[in-house]
Amino acid sequence: MPLPHARATLFLGLFSLVSVVVLYLSTLDVQNNLSPQGCRMSRMSPSYILQTEFNASWTSLANRYSLWLYREVGWESNMIHGSQPVLFIPGNAGSSRQVRSISSSAVRQFYSSPHRLSPNFEGTPFKPLDFFAVEFNEDLSAFHGPTMESETAYTANAIAYILSMYPPNTTIIILGHSMGGVIATSLLPSDKITAIITMSTPHLLPPARFDQRIDQIYNRNRLVLESDPTPILSICGGATDMMIPSESCILERKDAPFRRTVFSSALEGAWTGVGHQEMVWCHQVRWRVARAALELGDATSVERRGTVLDRWLRDGSWFPPIDAPPQLLERHSYKILSENERLVLDRPRGRETYLLPVVSGSSARLTLYVSQGSVLSISPQIPVPLDVSVLICQATVDEAFECESLEPSVLKLIPNPIPGMPFPVPHEGCDESEGVVLFEVDLSSTHQDRPTWVGIKLDRANGFGWVIAQVAPETVIVRDVKITSLLAGGVSTHLPDTRALHISVHFDNLLSNALTVYRVSPRIFTSGTECKENYLSPLLVHRSHPAETHYFPLRLAPHRDILLHTHSPAPYIDTAMSGRGVYLDLLSSGGDNCRADVITLEIAWTATAGRWASRYFTTIISWAIGIVSLIMLELWRISDEGVVLTSTVAQSLDFFCRRRFPALLLGSSVFSMVPLPTNYFLGTKGEPFFSPLAPLFMAIAFGLVVVSYWFLFALLWPLRLLSKLSLGRSHREINGFSRATAISMSLILLFVFLVIPWQVAFLGCWFVHAVTCASRPRSAGDSLKSPSNSVIISLMESHPHTNGEEPDAPTGPVDQSPLQIANNYNHNMHLLLLMTWLLPLAAPVLVVWIRTLATAGFTTPFDGDHFVLNVAPFLFLVDFASRTTGPLFEKTRLERRVSVRWSLLVVTVVAFVYGPKQAYLVFDATKLAIGLMVVFRIGTRYWDGSFSGANARRTIRQ
Ligand SMILES: *[C@@H]1O[C@H](CO)[C@@H](O)[C@H](O)[C@H]1NC(C)=O
Ligand SMILES: *[C@@H]1O[C@H](CO)[C@@H](O)[C@H](O)[C@H]1NC(C)=O
């Protein structure tokens, strides 16, 4: 078996290996630098009580899975009384134990010490929580629809069981981690569920797309997500989450039904990327989830539940209601500032109102920062008593002012990173008292006809914190930068020399997509060595999606790179986002100590490449199958044309590389500019900037095909030696069809139908075929040298009926021409290559099956994996290939008009266009193509029992 020797082929193989390594390394770069994680570990004293009464009378899955109740040791009694149930659903390979961080936090928030109610909850209607968790034995639900359905069925029964222990009409709160969130969604519609909080859940796109039944579950859930009235909130970890691309976690924001997405980088008080597993224990997230759950228990209406979720898992897009009555400011109870003057109050004391005049006729914006205190009840978790309210006032007679509360257009808690420390602080993150409240409102539309003042009213100031406010025209810099202009290098933007509290920089035309990452480098003026403001050091805010915001402190070099990225739009995810526009906000307290005057924007290539790898993994596998089937199409073309000697795989690869590959590269880049819907091909809707990705991934896919052939070469070599050794003894050729063959084939199919999943049978086929390739003669010379080499391994050999003498096998010498031997060998090797590439599509379920066997035994139903037709074409083909002495494939008279080889072109099209989003379709298409081949080209000979070409012709003549 020669290796390909064209230099280009060799080069592409090596190129793909290097690319895979580079992509892998850049993925690590993404994890470490794009959205770093700063999470405090949580501590608890867990115990778990097995719910033994939830037994086979409740669910048929009682032996497979289990249900546990969490209790914090020493803090609460084991009784269930007057409490509110919560159910935690773990994800793929997850454990019920993951409930402990959130449940422990709920207990320690509700009680201040064991059995003592916390002052926060005294006199409130809130109840303690009982956290239940389902245990799925770390089943791999993400890869296997039926496993997910079993888990869903078990969870639905568990909910019925849990609620049977509570007063009638009790509803349950559901927390789902990762695929657990998908299971939670598939429990709907249900009137037993209060609300669902999902963490790092891929709602929109299955992470593993090899099983059609997963897709069906997702299709059903899509309808639920659109219309079911149960509130659902999705927390996403952002780029730090390497298990799922976070764009699949985004639920479009809606009020009815209530749907929210909160990125942990935007979550107030967290401001950090959170990894996939870390999401359940990251302290900054878990206490908020626990707190929301505590208050959800009392929320009876859907609106109220929405408000609780909005309040505790807030990213700044929800405002508390304002119900302060209009008020009159008496003479001497206020201080008036001059126009454009900045209010700066350091460690204020007492009660005071400051009036800032609004200049009429020009655009004016109020920017207010309050550190440590609260504005409209928005504050750090542990605030000082300082309370600031914002009023809009007009003068009346007698030097008094009539004031009303002013509604904010922005009201959120922003971080105030500590100078000299990384942000977020690794392993620590933000502290409970950290954060500055930002209040902004556009004043240009209010009360322009009369002189107007903005009142900043301080209450209960006790010498802690600071307040800064200014009414000033908006500072917006608009730059027309396109991503193509960044290819040549960075683009710099000069910031105006103002001491504005808030400067906006808009790149309206810049591409904003999950596949691109930009680096921002600021140039900073400072008097010292540290960029340190007295109040708020300059902070860059990048709001890339209504739900996704990132905060970056502007630092002197060397600092952590500021990498701008987004999760929407993204490949294979439908969204209404336009994909244009990068909007930055520079916030600071406007001091002179630390000011950025130029920011430079460039493409961050390493991080960008890291974004591609995780999104195009399935695409590359699917495209490789498409390429292999193109290569086979070529082989069948020359064999149909009656070329005497077909090419070896090595020759095919070389030929493809020289003759077809350049066209494929060109074609794919042109095709990637066709504005297809996001589900197809590259998934970029024809965005021209991404069109080079298509040839790049085609090259990697083809290179991987070459590498896989090297791998097969290495694998077959020892197999060949083995088969020479063990089968060197004289074997009789099992030749032709017999009753025994029929019986054993039916037995195998029955076995697949009843016991083993077809994926296992497929692996068996692959293995048998590999042995066939290793043991059959490669060329006439081979077979002449050692005739015993033409020994055939067949599926039936181990079968008792065929083990002994073979009474009804056709006998007599079969002439096999040297050409035919070589041609069959070539066909077999090409087939082996194709089947090897199909393995990734079948293997995940195989792994699930083995795992499930290990944990749950043979009792487990693997419904739907016994569809024999999925594997039957391969079974017959492999069996035939292992025994035929005639030509493997010969064009038959049935194909006079159209050759069945064109079915391989269909496989290619499916693999290129549909495969990336629905990889299982590629297997289906290949199965059909092979099925047609078997029916048309082997079928008659198989059932005639004429395995050699000579016999076939004889049969026809009769
Ligand atoms: C399940 O548990 C209940 C209560 O302990 C018991 O009455 C019932 O017989 C059990 N059912 C099975 C099938 O074990
Ligand atoms: C439960 O709800 C139903 C329908 O809303 C109501 O008729 C019934 O009285 C409620 N039962 C209790 C115990 O609250």
Side-chain angles (χ1 to χ4, degrees):
M1 180 162 70
L3 284 171
H5 51 266
R7 234 178 264 149
T9 317
L10 188 71
F11 169 77
L12 276 168
L14 294 177
F15 166 77
S16 73
L17 285 181
V18 172
S19 311
V20 167
V21 172
V22 168
L23 286 178
Y24 174 72
L25 292 180
S26 18
T27 312
L28 294 187
D29 182 62
V30 162
Q31 185 172 22
N32 298 330
N33 296 329
L34 206 51
S35 180
Q37 176 174 290
C39 276
R40 196 156 349 132
M41 285 281 268
S42 36
R43 300 214 170 71
M44 71 286 303
S45 42
S47 69
Y48 309 90
I49 303 166
L50 180 63
Q51 300 299 295
T52 46
E53 296 198 356
F54 184 47
N55 58 14
S57 11
W58 283 94
T59 169
S60 57
L61 293 158
N63 295 328
R64 186 169 169 195
Y65 300 138
S66 52
L67 179 67
W68 300 78
L69 171 64
Y70 178 92
R71 280 300 188 231
E72 188 83 350
V73 176
W75 281 68
E76 42 183 352
S77 75
N78 285 353
M79 299 291 295
I80 286 176
H81 177 72
S83 45
Q84 159 72 34
V86 180
L87 178 66
F88 174 81
I89 311 174
N92 183 51
S95 149
S96 60
R97 303 296 192 247
Q98 289 172 315
V99 73
R100 61 179 178 256
S101 305
I102 296 170
S103 46
S104 160
S105 174
V107 173
R108 287 168 191 243
Q109 287 186 61
F110 195 77
Y111 301 102
S112 56
S113 61
H115 304 283
R116 277 263 302 279
L117 209 58
S118 145
N120 284 346
F121 285 90
E122 262 168 31
T124 61
F126 303 126
K127 297 185 235 170
L129 300 179
D130 295 323
F131 277 88
F132 293 87
V134 277
E135 174 60 60
F136 296 138
N137 308 319
E138 306 186 8
D139 266 2
L140 302 172
S141 48
F143 300 104
H144 192 223
T147 299
M148 244 171 88
E149 274 171 358
S150 304
E151 295 187 356
T152 310
Y154 183 81
T155 312
N157 291 331
I159 291 174
Y161 164 78
I162 293 167
L163 291 180
S164 74
M165 297 188 277
Y166 290 83
N169 290 5
T170 305
T171 55
I172 192 166
I173 300 162
I174 308 277
L175 308 180
H177 176 238
S178 187
M179 292 310 273
V182 179
I183 292 174
T185 313
S186 25
L187 292 171
L188 298 176
S190 160
D191 55 1
K192 301 195 183 94
I193 297 177
T194 315
I196 296 177
I197 302 178
T198 66
M199 293 166 268
S200 309
T201 293
H203 281 291
L204 302 184
L205 183 68
R209 310 195 269 278
F210 303 131
D211 190 350
Q212 180 166 18
R213 292 153 302 176
I214 294 268
D215 237 28
Q216 286 161 358
I217 294 173
Y218 268 75
N219 286 340
R220 217 165 44 227
N221 280 3
R222 189 163 306 132
L223 300 180
V224 167
L225 288 172
E226 260 165 36
S227 57
D228 191 88
T230 310
I232 305 178
L233 182 138
S234 168
I235 308 177
C236 314
T240 327
D241 187 338
M242 299 308 289
M243 293 295 270
I244 62 154
S246 278
E247 55 262 27
S248 62
C249 173
I250 300 176
L251 296 180
E252 204 177 314
R253 184 190 167 91
K254 269 199 269 181
D255 285 325
F258 180 92
R259 300 289 179 265
R260 289 289 187 274
T261 305
V262 179
F263 271 81
S264 58
S265 60
L267 179 62
E268 292 184 354
W271 302 305
T272 170
V274 179
H276 195 72
Q277 301 301 332
E278 289 84 345
M279 189 56 98
V280 287
W281 61 251
C282 179
H283 173 74
Q284 281 85 346
V285 176
R286 65 141 187 174
W287 82 258
R288 288 178 168 82
V289 172
R291 183 62 191 251
L294 276 167
E295 296 201 1
L296 273 177
D298 183 55
T300 40
S301 73
V302 170
E303 291 73 29
R304 180 88 194 95
R305 290 166 191 171
T307 311
V308 168
L309 289 171
D310 272 337
R311 176 189 295 272
W312 290 106
L313 295 160
R314 187 173 183 276
D315 61 2
S317 41
W318 170 84
F319 300 143
I322 300 175
D323 53 1
Q327 44 189 295
L328 196 69
L329 292 180
E330 299 289 348
R331 184 146 52 131
H332 304 310
S333 71
Y334 52 81
K335 288 179 183 160
I336 299 189
L337 279 71
S338 57
E339 256 177 36
N340 286 342
E341 187 185 340
R342 177 177 311 163
L343 175 71
V344 178
L345 301 169
D346 196 356
R347 281 166 284 183
R349 285 193 175 272
R351 235 184 112 110
E352 191 68 72
T353 305
Y354 298 87
L355 293 179
L356 285 64
V358 180
V359 186
S360 61
S362 68
S363 82
R365 177 167 64 180
L366 166 75
T367 306
L368 163 74
Y369 299 118
V370 176
S371 172
Q372 297 182 48
S374 36
V375 183
L376 285 173
S377 84
I378 299 300
S379 69
Q381 189 197 347
I382 306 175
V384 298
L386 168 67
D387 184 44
V388 179
S389 29
V390 183
L391 312 167
I392 183 104
C393 302
Q394 274 163 347
T396 60
V397 287
D398 214 15
E399 294 181 40
F401 284 87
E402 255 177 16
C403 301
E404 288 171 29
S405 293
L406 193 53
E407 299 237 356
S409 52
V410 174
L411 174 60
K412 60 182 181 179
L413 194 65
I414 56 169
N416 188 4
I418 309 156
M421 296 277 268
F423 176 80
V425 184
H427 311 297
E428 209 28 66
C430 293
D431 187 66
E432 271 83 359
S433 57
E434 251 176 74
V436 171
V437 183
L438 166 68
F439 182 112
E440 276 195 312
V441 60
D442 181 13
L443 298 166
S444 48
S445 59
T446 49
H447 310 273
Q448 283 288 358
D449 46 336
R450 292 167 58 191
T452 310
W453 284 261
V454 168
I456 306 290
K457 184 175 168 210
L458 274 65
D459 269 319
R460 298 197 297 275
N462 63 346
F464 286 100
W466 48 259
V467 175
I468 293 180
Q470 187 172 30
V471 174
E474 284 186 52
T475 316
V476 183
I477 301 158
V478 180
R479 289 296 312 269
D480 186 18
V481 174
K482 292 210 168 63
I483 189 164
T484 38
S485 46
L486 292 183
L487 286 175
V491 167
S492 297
T493 304
H494 286 268
L495 302 180
D497 187 17
T498 70
R499 295 170 60 208
L501 300 183
H502 180 173
I503 300 172
S504 307
V505 185
H506 292 180
F507 301 96
D508 287 320
N509 285 320
L510 193 57
L511 192 66
S512 170
N513 191 294
L515 297 175
T516 52
V517 179
Y518 303 106
R519 178 184 293 109
V520 169
S521 321
R523 193 172 81 192
I524 290 175
F525 280 131
T526 174
S527 48
T529 53
E530 191 59 70
C531 183
K532 191 169 187 310
E533 268 289 323
N534 288 338
Y535 304 109
L536 179 67
S537 296
L539 188 71
L540 183 87
V541 185
H542 176 217
R543 188 163 191 230
S544 54
H545 180 270
E548 190 181 9
T549 308
H550 298 274
Y551 297 93
F552 307 91
L554 291 187
R555 295 270 164 89
L556 289 177
H559 55 74
R560 206 179 240 166
D561 277 357
I562 298 174
L563 297 173
L564 307 181
H565 63 282
T566 180
H567 283 94
S568 186
Y572 312 122
I573 305 252
D574 267 327
T575 172
M577 300 280 296
S578 74
R580 286 281 182 282
V582 172
Y583 303 102
L584 304 178
D585 292 292
L586 280 144
L587 305 177
S588 78
S589 47
D592 269 328
N593 241 345
C594 178
R595 204 160 50 77
D597 73 331
V598 178
I599 57 170
T600 308
L601 190 73
E602 60 192 335
I603 300 176
W605 284 109
T606 325
T608 298
R611 301 287 272 171
W612 301 341
S614 46
R615 281 157 185 85
Y616 284 110
F617 173 71
T618 313
T619 307
I620 290 179
I621 292 184
S622 170
W623 286 7
I625 300 174
I627 289 175
V628 174
S629 85
L630 269 188
I631 291 173
M632 282 192 62
L633 181 67
E634 200 69 46
L635 176 80
W636 286 8
R637 180 182 63 83
I638 54 178
S639 108
D640 281 0
E641 281 170 2
V643 170
V644 190
L645 182 60
T646 55
S647 60
T648 62
V649 177
Q651 287 164 341
S652 291
L653 289 174
D654 282 341
F655 176 82
F656 185 83
C657 186
R658 276 183 289 114
R659 295 293 176 78
R660 302 283 180 262
F661 189 57
L664 186 66
L665 291 188
L666 190 69
S668 62
S669 47
V670 170
F671 190 62
S672 68
M673 283 189 254
V674 178
L676 297 171
T678 34
N679 291 350
Y680 306 119
F681 202 59
L682 265 190
T684 51
K685 287 191 175 168
E687 168 60 49
F689 183 76
F690 294 126
S691 62
L693 288 184
L696 173 69
F697 294 142
M698 280 291 174
I700 294 179
F702 176 66
L704 289 179
V705 170
V706 175
V707 171
S708 68
Y709 178 67
W710 295 343
F711 163 80
L712 283 180
F713 187 84
L715 181 85
L716 290 194
W717 182 71
L719 264 185
R720 183 165 296 134
L721 280 187
L722 261 180
S723 71
K724 263 190 192 144
L725 287 180
S726 64
L727 306 168
R729 293 163 285 130
S730 122
H731 264 241
R732 240 173 16 81
E733 211 158 284
I734 301 158
N735 188 354
F737 181 79
S738 65
R739 208 179 309 124
T741 319
I743 292 172
S744 25
M745 197 52 100
S746 340
L747 274 180
I748 290 175
L749 290 179
L750 191 69
F751 199 50
V752 172
F753 186 65
L754 293 178
V755 189
I756 59 168
W758 64 262
Q759 291 89 347
V760 179
F762 181 77
L763 184 71
C765 287
W766 179 85
F767 189 72
V768 168
H769 196 63
V771 173
T772 303
C773 288
S775 58
R776 298 220 61 166
R778 282 175 280 172
S779 60
D782 228 11
S783 89
L784 286 182
K785 260 186 280 159
S786 58
S788 61
N789 253 8
S790 53
V791 158
I792 318 299
I793 307 287
S794 92
L795 279 174
M796 287 75 212
E797 257 197 346
S798 57
H799 198 268
H801 289 280
T802 51
N803 248 355
E805 288 299 294
E806 200 57 55
D808 46 6
T811 47
V814 181
D815 54 337
Q816 238 190 323
S817 77
L819 276 178
Q820 194 173 298
I821 290 175
N823 284 347
N824 278 0
Y825 178 74
N826 292 342
H827 274 289
N828 279 336
M829 280 307 293
H830 280 81
L831 261 180
L832 184 64
L833 190 66
L834 179 69
M835 287 174 71
T836 307
W837 274 101
L838 290 178
L839 281 180
L841 303 189
V845 173
L846 201 71
V847 176
V848 174
W849 189 67
I850 292 167
R851 261 205 62 99
T852 312
L853 275 191
T855 56
F858 246 117
T859 53
T860 315
F862 256 61
D863 329 326
D865 289 312
H866 302 291
F867 187 60
V868 284
L869 287 187
N870 274 348
V871 74
F874 297 100
L875 265 176
F876 285 111
L877 178 60
V878 160
D879 174 47
F880 185 79
S882 70
R883 294 189 293 148
T884 182
T885 51
L888 191 52
F889 297 113
E890 226 175 24
K891 200 169 168 183
T892 63
R893 279 176 299 171
L894 298 171
E895 305 171 51
R896 237 167 304 161
R897 282 170 198 281
V898 190
S899 163
V900 290
R901 73 164 189 270
W902 291 112
S903 57
L904 283 172
L905 193 64
V906 176
V907 174
T908 303
V909 170
V910 170
F912 285 174
V913 180
Y914 297 88
K917 172 102 189 253
Q918 293 155 297
Y920 55 86
L921 286 183
V922 183
F923 194 96
D924 290 350
T926 318
K927 166 186 89 190
L928 281 179
I930 297 291
L932 283 177
M933 218 60 175
V934 167
V935 169
F936 278 88
R937 298 203 172 174
I938 294 180
T940 45
R941 283 188 285 156
Y942 199 91
W943 295 116
D944 282 354
S946 48
F947 273 63
S948 69
N951 281 354
R953 276 186 289 278
R954 214 174 302 137
T955 324
I956 292 164
R957 244 182 274 121
Q958 273 162 8

